[in-house]
Amino acid sequence: MISRRGFSKGLGAGAGAAAVSLAGVRGASAAPDGRAGSTAPAASRGTPTTPEATPAATFPHLKHINAGLLNVAYAELGPAHGPVVICLHGWPYDIHSYVDVAPLLAERGYRVLVPYLRGHGPTRFRSARTFRNGQQSAVAVDIIAFMDALKIEKAVLAGFDWGSRTADIIAALRPERCKALVSVSGYLITNLEANQKPLAPAAEHTWWYQYYFATERGRRAMEDKTLRHDLTRFVWDTVSPTWDFDDATFERTAAAFDNPDYAAVVIHNYRWRLGIADGERRYDALERRLATRPVITVPTITLDPERDPFTAPGNGSSYRDRFTGAYDHRTLQGIGHNLPQEAPEAFTQAVVDVDNF
């Protein structure tokens, strides 16, 4: 244990329909028992405790639903008929980034849904033949399929890291499905051509794991449980330098990395972003649209975590022109990459505020 310092045709049934969903054709699928949103016990994670012997907070139970290519595991809090907020996690994190945000939103009358993304936690691919794809449009299609399966027409989308990128894509390409948006680190839609341009040395250094994952050595590390554990813990420590989390908090999330498809999805995500792994043809039309850097017209609040090494300089100015609707930008001083978990009250307030724009 390292001590803590003081998201056409293709492989798999239903794949073509899933890709078309983001482009505008809707469909729904049932839960394993035929009922949308069936309840199932949470995956066993044990009950690690903090040094004060207080059990680490968690979601009381998980639900599962077949949605497109996946059987999605998700947490749900709040009234069943409340306005919907979908909270989307990043890497290397899981739904517990919202373990404090979700009850705060539920108390305000929201129906809060927090899904495990593909390759994470108890979420599973429905077919062994489906390519374990981590490209951005695939993850966004997953969330549209999730909304379709639950018969949710529109929701507030809120996320960070992979979650921000996924929410940004839906807001840009399917604005009728996004009531409002909270996007940590602003506009994160990937442009593959732009991604080939070198950054300043300090910025390249920050992305060390992206280049590590481009190698077979990095892939093997992600497939090895111990090395994966220590690598992800190191990322937590370095990108959230002021967050005084304990071991139990990390271990609660690290259990989600034991998904059998985790390494394949993560490695493909970062290799695709570098242009050294191919995406799937079923997503080509979506990626061509995303390559134009489409503007986002829905009401948006962007949040910059001041201590996140990935936060761009300029207090949001570098992406301001991508948001053309009602808009606000906030920088959270002293907060690192995992903003929802480090500053749950501020994240919750952003969701409530943007919903009232």
Side-chain angles (χ1 to χ4, degrees), residues 136-265:
Q136 61 180 356
S137 55
V139 184
V141 166
D142 290 344
I143 301 305
I144 291 292
F146 176 66
M147 295 174 68
D148 290 346
L150 290 172
K151 297 180 171 55
I152 296 169
E153 294 293 335
K154 181 176 288 192
V156 176
L157 301 179
F160 75 105
D161 195 89
W162 288 25
S164 287
R165 182 171 295 107
T166 302
D168 289 352
I169 291 169
I170 296 171
L173 300 188
R174 296 297 305 276
E176 76 281 4
R177 307 302 297 273
C178 181
K179 182 180 181 184
L181 172 68
V182 173
S183 184
V184 175
S185 303
Y187 189 90
L188 293 188
I189 295 175
T190 297
N191 182 303
L192 291 180
E193 182 178 354
N195 248 23
Q196 301 306 307
K197 298 178 182 178
L199 303 174
E204 297 283 23
H205 177 268
T206 300
W207 282 105
W208 67 269
Y209 59 83
Q210 177 173 246
Y211 308 121
Y212 185 44
F213 293 161
T215 70
E216 283 304 288
R217 186 169 174 170
R219 179 186 63 79
R220 291 176 183 176
M222 284 301 289
E223 292 174 345
D224 182 284
K225 183 179 176 70
T226 299
L227 294 174
R228 179 175 66 235
H229 175 279
D230 293 350
L231 185 154
T232 52
R233 176 63 187 253
F234 182 75
V235 172
W236 275 45
D237 286 337
T238 54
V239 302
S240 294
T242 60
W243 182 30
D244 190 22
F245 63 89
D246 57 20
D247 290 345
T249 298
F250 174 76
E251 298 300 338
R252 180 186 58 189
T253 285
F257 309 158
D258 292 336
N259 182 299
D261 300 310
Y262 184 78
V265 169

Side-chain angles (χ1 to χ4, degrees), residues 71-83:
N71 177 263
V72 179
Y74 65 102
E76 178 172 355
L77 276 72
H81 299 292

Side-chain angles (χ1 to χ4, degrees), residues 13-67:
V20 172
S21 181
L22 188 58
V25 178
R26 301 187 59 232
S29 45
D33 64 354
R35 294 179 292 109
S38 64
T39 301
S44 175
R45 303 179 183 86
T47 55
T49 59
T50 67
E52 294 78 20
T54 302
T58 190
F59 290 101
H61 63 272
L62 296 180
K63 295 183 176 182
H64 294 253
I65 192 166
N66 286 344

